[in-house]
Amino acid sequence: MFDLGEKQIDFMKQRKLALGLSLTLIVLSIVGMVVKGFNFGIDFTGGTIIEVSYPQPVALNEVRQTLAEGGFDQAIVQHFGSASDVLIRIQPREGMTSAMVSNRVLDLLQAKVPAVELRRVEYVGPQVGDELTEDGALAVLYALIGVLIYVAFRFEFRFALGSIAALVHDVIITLGVFAWTQAQFDLTVLAAILAVIGYSLNDTIVVFDRIRENFRLLRDKTPEAVMNISVNQTLSRTIMTSVTTLLVVFALFFLGGEIIHNFALALLVGIAVGTYSSIYVASALALMLGVSKEDLMPPPKDEVDREALEKELTQAYLEAEARRQNS
């Protein structure tokens, strides 16, 4: 069983410093998004996607150099499926149709390796890119609104505000990393950001569940002490979940290839920041908003009901701690 007298990390003592750090990171992220903007992929800007096949494995640097010599220095080159199949993404060129671009690219590549074959050509128009940009932003906004409604009904409104602040914090900082690094932002990155929202929310709800339980059980403790005890009780679970998830994401980042490289980067940043925000943003903000045990206690009908409720909650707490200790 968790001993309330054992050594604990005083997370809430550093909440003001942590919130200051978060505000700094958010401001830097917003500055990056305004000043540098995003390096949008073809999914959002439109352009031509060309898939070619070489008779043998080819180095991507050689393909990039060949295209740069022909005037396509901004082309994005990736292996696609195997080391001999190459996917080339080229942003719209003024005065050139998709057919003209694909023919020019094929001529450049065949001038170096005559056996290069053209597999497919796809064109994404700028109007489609604009629609994807708008729909992607709306998807993130709707996800945040849905989370606000869900947490407000399940917990208490101040907890809902804390969870939304944590999610906005995670999304903005992740976007800021992409703005400052100019890593390509495409639909896979947008999918990763939506996944980060779900991951961070799950972590926050686990902490909030324990906080709600302890507010009802530890009535002689201050709200700050209850928050600290709750975060410490869920800390091992939070660390294990984050570490095991990050191991998989690190494998994708280093071994998954260029196609999912930026997807894995978004997950790496989002999971790391999301773990931090569950403790220092969501919980700390709810505490600063003045949440207390009176906000979470169900109104007892009479004294008998209150005593029965206390016994029931205490027994449930002891059983839960015993199961956790044995697992």
Side-chain angles (χ1 to χ4, degrees):
M1 185 181 298
F2 187 85
D3 184 3
L4 298 182
E6 70 183 27
K7 182 66 175 177
Q8 301 178 46
I9 302 174
D10 193 353
F11 289 105
M12 294 301 107
K13 182 179 180 180
Q14 308 298 330
R15 64 184 182 275
K16 292 183 180 179
L17 178 63
L19 288 175
L21 174 62
S22 294
L23 289 175
T24 302
L25 292 176
I26 289 173
V27 170
L28 289 175
S29 299
I30 293 175
V31 170
M33 288 185 278
V34 172
V35 175
K36 302 194 70 172
F38 295 106
N39 178 22
F40 286 115
I42 290 178
D43 298 331
F44 297 110
T45 63
T48 305
I49 302 175
I50 305 166
E51 183 184 348
V52 297
S53 177
Y54 280 77
Q56 56 190 11
V58 61
L60 294 180
N61 287 336
E62 296 178 5
V63 179
R64 293 190 185 101
Q65 183 178 355
T66 300
L67 295 175
E69 292 172 355
F72 297 100
D73 54 334
Q74 298 296 322
I76 299 169
V77 182
Q78 301 170 324
H79 282 306
F80 187 74
S82 69
S84 59
D85 295 325
V86 177
L87 193 68
I88 303 169
R89 302 169 184 259
I90 298 176
Q91 294 186 350
R93 302 294 293 256
E94 196 171 331
M96 296 183 69
T97 65
S98 177
M100 294 170 63
V101 170
S102 61
N103 290 335
R104 175 61 178 160
V105 168
L106 187 61
D107 290 342
L108 290 171
L109 299 179
Q110 288 181 340
K112 297 285 186 178
V113 182
V116 173
E117 296 180 1
L118 180 66
R119 290 287 183 87
R120 67 183 173 99
V121 178
E122 293 182 5
Y123 176 71
V124 179
Q127 182 177 358
V128 174
D130 291 340
E131 292 177 357
L132 288 174
T133 303
E134 181 181 351
D135 292 345
L138 289 175
V140 175
L141 180 61
Y142 292 154
L144 293 177
I145 294 174
V147 168
L148 176 64
I149 296 173
Y150 167 73
V151 180
F153 273 104
R154 177 166 177 178
F155 294 99
E156 199 266 345
F157 192 67
R158 274 165 283 202
F159 277 145
L161 292 178
S163 65
I164 285 297
L167 296 182
V168 172
H169 167 276
D170 301 342
V171 170
I172 290 179
I173 293 179
T174 304
L175 293 176
V177 170
F178 275 83
W180 282 110
T181 62
Q182 287 295 288
Q184 188 182 76
F185 192 97
D186 53 22
L187 284 178
T188 63
V189 175
L190 179 62
I193 289 176
L194 292 174
V196 165
I197 290 176
Y199 180 92
S200 179
L201 175 64
N202 176 71
D203 205 24
T204 300
I205 286 178
V206 170
V207 177
F208 280 177
D209 265 329
R210 184 55 61 91
I211 291 173
R212 180 173 59 180
E213 292 174 4
N214 285 338
F215 261 124
R216 297 175 177 178
L217 294 171
L218 308 176
R219 300 192 180 188
D220 59 331
K221 301 289 183 180
T222 64
E224 181 176 343
V226 172
M227 292 279 190
N228 267 324
I229 292 170
S230 303
V231 172
N232 277 275
Q233 287 176 337
T234 57
L235 186 61
S236 60
R237 177 264 174 203
T238 299
I239 292 176
M240 290 301 298
T241 303
S242 298
V243 169
T244 52
T245 306
L246 285 174
L247 287 176
V248 177
V249 178
F250 269 118
L252 292 176
F253 183 79
F254 291 107
L255 305 175
E258 293 190 31
I259 292 180
I260 62 172
H261 184 81
N262 292 327
F263 170 81
L265 173 62
L267 287 179
L268 279 176
V269 176
I271 291 173
V273 175
T275 302
Y276 161 85
S277 68
S278 297
I279 299 172
Y280 279 119
V281 178
S283 302
L285 186 59
L287 181 61
M288 293 177 68
L289 290 174
V291 69
S292 63
K293 55 181 174 290
E294 287 77 14
D295 300 318
L296 302 175
M297 287 297 298
K301 295 181 179 179
D302 50 46
E303 191 67 26
V304 176
D305 289 345
R306 185 188 298 110
E307 293 178 359
L309 178 62
E310 288 179 356
K311 292 180 180 179
E312 182 180 348
L313 289 175
T314 302
Q315 183 63 30
Y317 175 78
L318 294 174
E319 292 176 356
E321 287 297 321
R323 287 195 300 269
R324 189 177 67 84
Q325 187 70 21
N326 293 332
S327 61

